[in-house]
Amino acid sequence: MKMATFYVHLHVPSRDVNTNQVFSIPYVDPFSERGLITSMCKTVHRYSGAMQGVSCTDVKISELFKEVEYFEERSSSYGFMIDNTGRALIHPLLPEPAFVEINEDPVLVDITSLERTSGTANIINSMKRGESGKKTLPNVYFTLPRGRLVNEGSRYLQYQATFFWGPVQNTRFYLCIVLREETHTVISEADFDISNSEMNNVFLYHNRSLTSDSQPKCRFNSRKVTLAQSAVKFTPSAFSNPFQYIDETETELDVREYTAYLTRKKDQNPGFNDDVRATVWATYKAEQFWKQQPESHLAWRFIGTKAGVFRVYPAVSLTKSYDHEKRTWWRETTSHPGMIYITSPYQDAWGSGILLTLTHTIFKRGSNQVTAVVGADFPLQYFSYFIDNIYPMCTTKDFKCMIIDDSGFLVIHQAFKETTDPKYFDDPKHITILEPAIADEMKKYGVLNPLTCKDLSTNKELQSFRVTLPAGRSTGLSFDQTNNKFELKPVMDTNIFILRIEKGSILDGTTSSACKCDSNVQPDFRECNNNCNCICYTPIVYNVCTNVYTTTSADSSLPCSARLLDKSGISINENLTGLQSCFDPKCNEKTTKKDCYSEFQCSWCEFTFRGEIIPEPCCRIKGECSFGKTKDSNSNICDASHTETPSEEAEGRSTDVVAGGVIGGLLAVVLIVGGVIFLLRYLYIKDNCDKEDPYLYAIPDHIDLRSAQNETNGQFNPTFTTSNFSSGSVSNGVHSYISVVSDKSRYDRPTE
């Protein structure tokens, strides 16, 4: 246990010090680096028995209650702790104590503000009386994140769960564990058939500075990698004692012990949970598939598991604090179980340009328990070109198209193609910002709907949005159903929609709207008002002295999930001096647009930076041409005399395999994700639990979604023909392409 301060009070203590050991209300110590502090005190007595004073030491809350903070058995269980007044000390809906900054106040709220399930009041009162007990409630709220809290809000599920509670000895703290009733089984090592020669390749630790291996190193964008293997990293949840990983500095000896155990050279477990070795072996199957499919239009491929195992290809080093379950992409994907999740575009922190991420959950067999997320990153311009090809109606002079996700954020928009500033993608763009007039019409037709939750860490009621199709309109809205205003079609089995308007209509190119959301104000700082329905907040007031909320808005919505405060593991600065690029993209050798976009570091140049048409378009690296437009210093980039000179950060990867066209190429993107279908034989557990349809509870934003219980035998036999993409129909376009991996299978980045 890490102690911050030690001191002795030689005076008569307050009446509060009347037990053998007490703790103070948590506070932020200005002398500590970060985090909440509590004072642990005991009375000091003379030999005669007379009390002389009080001895105290300050302890970080995050250190004292790690067992509670890291407790998570199965997918929907948690622990919380209160003091004798009912104030919550540790709860999954509160910020993690370790990430409370010096300039922040601790979040002190009554536990009844967090535990809103009917029947919990009696449990709380029993806890405050110092009693122990057990009680099962039929409809317990489980509040879970949807991604970025401020932008996307939270989601809520209700399950039968059992509360177990009791006092912490010699303190005024009381602990409660909430367990959802579900069957839990770990995967078995007996399910695997890995030869002795393969066993040596199942594990390569991500921090190669602690190991000595013979794998060749090269420069992949701005990172040092090896293409020979994928890298494996563990999170605290991989260890039976999370302190072992968090509190200790990893050494070469630790990695040697990891390797010996995971490659079965030794059976002495260095501290992993029982299912970690089997999970490492299971995810090795993904690496084998990735290496067999060297697609040149992909950046990073990865798989993260609930067992605390994260595998990424090419092998790259991550910071020790990187935890995939705290990342936005994990939370977004697990909030859409059974669906293909496509992110909004972002700038890759590892130098791969503007990317989209495609992810999917892996379930345990016979249940809706998410056991892993698998994904791949690919360029925004590649996805944009793909959409234009399968939905040619969007490229005509008559219509304007965009793609939005089910929170209203834009995935594809004309502005994305026009910008050459990568910082433009630092924050996701919402439709209420870029297309307020269209957003207003969507609200009128009930497809863009606000949803609120109460953020107790900032005393704000946050408003986000859901794109929800009206009852009986599961296939979307056509023009004639919106008075010729817009058309909205869902891409089934995904989180995205294609939105189309007529060029020259009242909604085209206009910002006139009753609601104008200032694009320069972040949602967390934009207060809601009656005239503007944006992503915004309404303040709520909490009286610390009376321990109650004094504004009615505090009771108008359920509490939000905890803010995603872990910003660790985003990037590592590495010395790339002398390292050769892993691949030479050879963009200038590609003579057609589809071949150009088959390489993720290439761009098809059609316009100068002034918007002038280039008579003979050409393929060049993105550093010289982005989204079809040259940089200001490269307006003559397509001249015959031009020689490609890739910069350090612009060089990308190429392979001996050239993708056979855009359609087949992007199909391979899904195959990279969906191809790990055979992992189900290892990651799925044959049990009989959780028969409810997860879509109904986890994804109330869509209607008529396919049941997650449509399990198959795990076979992956896609039937694909390019004729599926000949028309301008969404169902015959993206849906047909997506359905290759979703209709008959249950299969299933580190991003900033």
Side-chain angles (χ1 to χ4, degrees), residues 177-450:
I177 300 298
V178 184
L179 295 178
R180 174 188 168 192
E181 295 187 0
E182 58 183 355
T183 303
H184 177 66
T185 311
V186 298
I187 59 178
S188 172
E189 296 174 10
D191 292 332
F192 295 90
D193 182 21
I194 299 178
S195 65
N196 291 333
S197 59
E198 284 184 315
M199 190 63 71
N200 293 326
N201 300 321
V202 298
F203 178 71
L204 175 68
Y205 198 55
H206 75 104
N207 189 348
R208 296 173 66 199
S209 66
L210 297 177
T211 63
S212 56
D213 60 67
S214 59
Q215 304 296 11
K217 300 176 183 178
C218 59
R219 175 172 50 80
F220 185 60
N221 300 307
S222 62
R223 296 307 309 273
K224 182 190 299 183
V225 306
T226 180
L227 299 178
Q229 288 182 257
S230 61
V232 173
K233 185 195 178 298
F234 303 110
T235 68
S237 60
F239 296 87
S240 56
N241 180 2
F243 315 144
Q244 173 184 346
Y245 182 80
I246 298 169
D247 293 341
E248 302 296 331
T249 301
E250 285 182 308
T251 65
E252 182 179 356
L253 177 60
D254 292 326
V255 179
R256 286 205 304 267
E257 291 179 347
Y258 296 165
T259 305
Y261 174 70
L262 295 169
T263 58
R264 217 162 199 174
K265 291 182 173 63
K266 294 182 179 179
D267 279 331
Q268 182 177 356
N269 188 335
F272 292 121
N273 288 323
D274 293 340
D275 55 350
V276 166
R277 184 158 68 176
T279 302
V280 169
W281 295 354
T283 57
Y284 172 61
K285 297 294 184 179
E287 177 193 308
Q288 292 177 306
F289 184 86
W290 292 335
K291 291 170 66 176
Q292 293 168 5
Q293 305 289 332
E295 298 301 331
S296 59
H297 53 270
L298 292 176
W300 307 95
R301 284 167 275 186
F302 54 91
I303 181 170
T305 74
K306 289 289 292 182
V309 175
F310 181 76
R311 187 181 288 271
V312 58
Y313 183 80
V316 65
S317 180
L318 296 153
T319 60
K320 182 183 177 183
S321 57
Y322 184 90
D323 187 339
H324 57 273
E325 289 193 66
K326 296 182 184 296
R327 308 308 300 163
T328 300
W329 61 265
W330 172 276
R331 297 187 173 198
E332 289 172 330
T333 309
T334 55
S335 71
H336 295 75
M339 301 180 72
I340 297 173
Y341 188 86
I342 300 173
T343 70
S344 53
Y346 60 92
Q347 183 179 5
D348 181 38
W350 295 349
S352 300
I354 308 302
L355 302 179
L356 295 169
T357 297
L358 185 150
T359 53
H360 203 292
T361 48
I362 296 177
F363 292 95
K364 292 181 179 178
R365 176 170 295 161
S367 83
N368 58 16
Q369 295 182 42
V370 173
T371 192
V373 171
V374 63
D377 300 335
F378 54 97
L380 169 62
Q381 63 180 15
Y382 188 82
F383 185 74
S384 177
Y385 180 63
F386 166 76
I387 293 298
D388 288 346
N389 272 266
I390 66 169
Y391 203 51
M393 189 71 70
C394 290
T395 63
T396 68
K397 63 180 181 179
D398 299 321
F399 295 100
K400 172 182 174 181
C401 295
M402 60 199 76
I403 294 179
I404 61 173
D405 68 15
D406 59 2
S407 294
F409 286 95
L410 289 151
V411 177
I412 293 292
H413 189 271
Q414 186 61 34
F416 297 171
K417 302 178 182 181
E418 296 172 353
T419 183
T420 57
D421 182 6
K423 293 183 179 179
Y424 183 81
F425 298 95
D426 286 350
D427 298 303
K429 308 302 179 185
H430 199 261
I431 191 167
T432 56
I433 297 292
L434 291 188
E435 299 286 353
I438 298 177
D440 276 355
E441 290 299 323
M442 292 177 65
K443 294 169 190 173
K444 293 176 184 178
Y445 285 92
V447 294
L448 186 64
N449 302 291

Side-chain angles (χ1 to χ4, degrees), residues 614-672:
I614 297 177
E616 296 183 9
C618 63
C619 186
R620 296 292 183 263
I621 59 174
K622 290 180 185 175
E624 296 178 336
C625 182
S626 180
F627 278 113
K629 296 176 67 175
T630 66
K631 297 297 180 64
D632 54 2
S633 58
N634 296 320
S635 57
N636 61 343
I637 198 170
C638 288
D639 288 352
S641 60
H642 176 80
T643 301
E644 186 174 70
T645 54
S647 63
E648 285 284 306
E649 62 221 12
E651 276 190 63
R653 51 181 283 201
S654 180
T655 65
D656 294 332
V657 179
V658 178
V662 173
I663 300 301
L666 194 54
L667 173 65
V669 176
V670 173
L671 290 178
I672 297 302

Side-chain angles (χ1 to χ4, degrees), residues 327-596:
R327 308 308 300 163
T328 300
W329 61 265
W330 172 276
R331 297 187 173 198
E332 289 172 330
T333 309
T334 55
S335 71
H336 295 75
M339 301 180 72
I340 297 173
Y341 188 86
I342 300 173
T343 70
S344 53
Y346 60 92
Q347 183 179 5
D348 181 38
W350 295 349
S352 300
I354 308 302
L355 302 179
L356 295 169
T357 297
L358 185 150
T359 53
H360 203 292
T361 48
I362 296 177
F363 292 95
K364 292 181 179 178
R365 176 170 295 161
S367 83
N368 58 16
Q369 295 182 42
V370 173
T371 192
V373 171
V374 63
D377 300 335
F378 54 97
L380 169 62
Q381 63 180 15
Y382 188 82
F383 185 74
S384 177
Y385 180 63
F386 166 76
I387 293 298
D388 288 346
N389 272 266
I390 66 169
Y391 203 51
M393 189 71 70
C394 290
T395 63
T396 68
K397 63 180 181 179
D398 299 321
F399 295 100
K400 172 182 174 181
C401 295
M402 60 199 76
I403 294 179
I404 61 173
D405 68 15
D406 59 2
S407 294
F409 286 95
L410 289 151
V411 177
I412 293 292
H413 189 271
Q414 186 61 34
F416 297 171
K417 302 178 182 181
E418 296 172 353
T419 183
T420 57
D421 182 6
K423 293 183 179 179
Y424 183 81
F425 298 95
D426 286 350
D427 298 303
K429 308 302 179 185
H430 199 261
I431 191 167
T432 56
I433 297 292
L434 291 188
E435 299 286 353
I438 298 177
D440 276 355
E441 290 299 323
M442 292 177 65
K443 294 169 190 173
K444 293 176 184 178
Y445 285 92
V447 294
L448 186 64
N449 302 291
L451 192 66
T452 61
C453 67
K454 182 175 60 177
D455 180 15
L456 299 172
S457 65
T458 61
N459 285 332
K460 296 176 179 178
E461 186 178 63
L462 305 178
Q463 176 174 276
S464 56
F465 288 93
R466 305 289 185 273
V467 179
T468 308
L469 294 174
R473 303 293 186 186
S474 61
T475 59
L477 295 176
S478 59
F479 278 109
D480 60 359
Q481 293 167 334
T482 63
N483 198 24
N484 292 322
K485 295 290 183 63
F486 65 89
E487 179 185 73
L488 182 71
K489 298 291 184 179
V491 181
M492 298 304 293
D493 302 310
T494 78
N495 65 310
I496 62 174
F497 299 78
I498 293 184
L499 179 63
R500 187 162 60 121
I501 64 171
E502 290 188 31
K503 288 183 178 179
S505 70
I506 191 173
L507 300 182
D508 181 26
T510 177
T511 58
S512 60
S513 169
C515 170
K516 293 185 179 179
C517 305
D518 189 345
S519 61
N520 296 318
V521 178
Q522 295 296 314
D524 213 15
F525 301 96
R526 182 188 296 122
E527 188 170 350
C528 301
N529 60 66
N530 294 330
N531 297 322
C532 188
N533 198 9
C534 310
I535 299 181
C536 55
Y537 76 91
T538 300
I540 54 179
V541 179
Y542 175 69
N543 189 315
V544 178
C545 297
T546 60
N547 199 26
V548 296
Y549 286 95
T550 59
T551 49
T552 56
S553 61
D555 297 321
S556 63
S557 58
L558 292 170
C560 302
S561 57
R563 293 200 173 214
L564 187 62
L565 297 173
D566 185 7
K567 299 297 183 182
S568 59
I570 292 176
S571 183
I572 297 177
N573 293 323
E574 294 178 310
N575 182 6
L576 304 177
T577 304
L579 278 183
Q580 295 294 320
S581 176
C582 297
F583 298 98
D584 178 4
K586 294 183 169 56
C587 301
N588 60 339
E589 296 181 7
K590 302 180 186 300
T591 58
T592 66
K593 182 183 285 189
K594 68 178 182 180
D595 285 342
C596 186

Side-chain angles (χ1 to χ4, degrees), residues 81-89 109-114 124 128 172 174 547:
M81 185 175 285
I82 64 173
D83 65 13
N84 63 317
T85 70
R87 293 182 191 270
L89 302 174
V109 298
D110 193 87
I111 188 63
T112 56
S113 296
L114 302 168
I124 303 292
K128 291 192 289 186
R172 292 184 175 181
Y174 310 96
N547 199 26

